[in-house]
Amino acid sequence: MEVTNKYWTIKTCIEDAPEEADFDLKTSTLTLKPSSKEMIVKNLYVSIDPYQLNRMKSSSSSQKTGGFAVEIIPGQEIEAFGVARVVASENPEYEKGNLVVGLVTWAEYSKIGSNGIIRKLDSMGFPLSHHVGILGFSGLAAYAGFFEICKPKRGEKVFVSAASGSVGNLVGQYAKLHGCYVVGCAGSKLKVQLLKEKLGFDEAFNYREETDLNSTLKRYFPAGIDIYFDNVGAEMQEAAVANMNTFGRVAVCGVISEYTDSGKKATPDMLDVIYKRIKIQGFLAGDYIGLFQDFISTTSDRLRSGELCPLEDISDGLDSIPFAFTGLFRGDNIGKKMVKIAAE
């Protein structure tokens, strides 16, 4: 079988904030050979994630870790998490029509090898988009980072940066359900309003309106911060550490403010870290794949009961991918950013 395929790639390495002109839409032919154990899938939803920018740079320390973070070569298809439907298969484990979830590409179709990171998808009655967002790696990152790294206790005080983003909004919701006091920061009045009125955060603030983040956090946490879930890095991390309580925990999920500005680096006061015995731990969602079934069970139950609110920001069509991706670094998205490539 052969299919004509359109896919996005980068023209050259991207060192700073990405622009739509950095991307190129190419056409190829995907061929499925008999007994190859390969399959061709039609992509339905694909994830749009900030970490992809580090893969597009000529050099990044993240590229040395392998896995999802390996370098993207100009002209090469761009891998991403997504949901797809099998249209042709030489893999005996899959047949035409199967829904699958896993590593696909920013493309109309993807060819998946026998060792592809993909599995059959049971939608469990949820929209397919949920399996890219709240029931996908964004959800797992929030769940594992909060419960496994931060190990919250009821009544503790939690600060979440980029709190209206794909991971932060879920961390805040998990924390509230766990009985914590939760404050989030975001980049607009609309997002702040959403955090408090729709997602149930105790407080939220627009960081763009604050000139002294240290004083801001003292105002919202007069008794100190027990848990900081970091999606931003740089000066926000510094201010959070300065306001941490003894034995505070920091889960570092992302540092988006540093992705487009190499001059920005978090430099927390290490004396605070030592004498307050603060734990700061970076992590990847894939580190906690062993928790996936617990995560799915807990999160799906909370979704069905209405205790969790899925926050999705969906663009339509393959052509929208460059705008959707660059928008992450303008702060356009509210919730999990993804692109719907084709109808279900």
Side-chain angles (χ1 to χ4, degrees):
M1 178 187 178
E2 287 187 353
V3 295
T4 300
N5 185 40
K6 290 182 179 180
Y7 66 95
W8 284 104
T9 186
I10 53 173
K11 295 176 181 177
T12 60
C13 294
I14 304 173
E15 307 300 345
D16 300 305
E19 300 177 357
E20 290 179 70
D22 293 325
F23 297 88
D24 197 13
L25 186 62
K26 291 183 172 291
T27 302
S28 67
T29 300
L30 300 181
T31 303
L32 201 60
K33 296 179 180 179
S35 304
S36 63
K37 294 188 177 181
E38 297 174 328
M39 62 181 176
I40 294 175
V41 301
K42 184 178 181 66
N43 298 321
L44 304 179
Y45 291 89
V46 294
S47 182
I48 308 295
D49 299 290
Y51 84 90
Q52 295 279 52
L53 182 60
N54 296 317
R55 300 183 61 206
M56 298 172 185
K57 296 180 178 183
S58 58
S59 177
S60 170
S61 59
S62 64
Q63 296 172 6
K64 299 173 185 177
T65 64
F68 293 160
V70 295
E71 178 186 5
I72 295 170
I73 307 297
Q76 181 184 64
E77 292 188 28
I78 298 170
E79 293 175 323
F81 191 75
V83 170
R85 189 178 296 278
V86 178
V87 295
S89 178
E90 290 294 327
N91 186 327
E93 296 181 17
Y94 297 88
E95 59 185 40
K96 183 177 179 179
N98 285 162
L99 280 172
V100 293
V101 61
L103 207 57
V104 292
T105 52
W106 283 358
E108 291 179 310
Y109 297 89
S110 300
K111 185 161 76 169
I112 311 296
S114 59
N115 60 346
I117 302 173
I118 205 153
R119 62 178 173 83
K120 289 180 183 177
L121 174 63
D122 174 5
S123 71
M124 301 184 293
F126 293 113
L128 296 185
S129 58
H130 284 18
H131 296 276
V132 178
I134 193 169
L135 296 173
F137 272 99
S138 295
L140 180 60
Y143 184 89
F146 184 62
F147 289 110
E148 290 299 306
I149 293 175
C150 297
K151 298 192 180 303
K153 302 179 185 68
R154 188 175 185 83
E156 286 194 310
K157 296 169 285 295
V158 177
F159 175 47
V160 185
S161 58
S164 65
S166 63
V167 176
N169 87 85
L170 294 173
V171 172
Q173 292 186 74
Y174 284 135
K176 284 304 301 176
L177 290 171
H178 199 69
C180 297
Y181 172 80
V182 184
V183 176
C185 72
S188 73
K189 291 181 179 179
L190 175 64
K191 292 178 180 180
V192 167
Q193 183 180 6
L194 178 145
L195 292 176
K196 293 194 290 185
E197 296 181 4
K198 185 173 183 177
L199 302 187
F201 282 58
D202 293 288
E203 289 290 349
F205 64 90
N206 181 353
Y207 70 87
R208 299 182 194 272
E209 297 178 346
E210 303 295 335
T211 57
D212 184 342
L213 291 174
N214 198 342
S215 296
T216 300
L217 291 181
K218 285 185 188 302
R219 186 167 75 247
Y220 284 99
F221 294 97
I225 300 168
D226 298 304
I227 291 170
Y228 172 44
F229 199 100
D230 190 7
N231 295 299
V232 171
E235 60 268 25
M236 191 68 75
Q237 186 189 106
E238 294 173 14
V241 168
N243 284 276
M244 297 292 290
N245 288 327
T246 302
F247 297 110
R249 289 86 74 202
V250 180
V252 185
C253 183
V255 289
I256 192 171
S257 70
E258 301 180 21
Y259 295 168
T260 56
D261 186 347
S262 59
K264 274 194 172 186
K265 300 291 180 187
T267 54
D269 188 330
M270 296 310 293
L271 283 179
D272 277 343
V273 175
I274 294 167
Y275 285 97
K276 291 182 182 178
R277 284 85 93 199
I278 297 169
K279 180 176 84 168
I280 303 176
Q281 183 176 336
F283 73 101
L284 302 174
D287 298 339
Y288 295 94
I289 201 69
L291 287 177
F292 193 76
Q293 289 308 316
D294 287 341
F295 152 68
I296 287 292
S297 176
T298 299
T299 303
S300 59
D301 285 348
R302 297 287 199 179
L303 273 172
R304 289 192 179 94
S305 68
E307 295 172 287
L308 278 177
C309 175
L311 205 58
E312 299 175 343
D313 191 331
I314 304 175
S315 297
D316 192 50
L318 182 70
D319 291 347
S320 70
I321 284 181
F323 183 77
F325 182 68
T326 56
L328 292 176
F329 304 93
R330 295 188 297 266
D332 291 354
N333 64 299
I334 297 178
K336 174 60 187 173
K337 188 65 193 179
M338 66 186 83
V339 170
K340 182 179 181 179
I341 303 292
E344 299 175 17

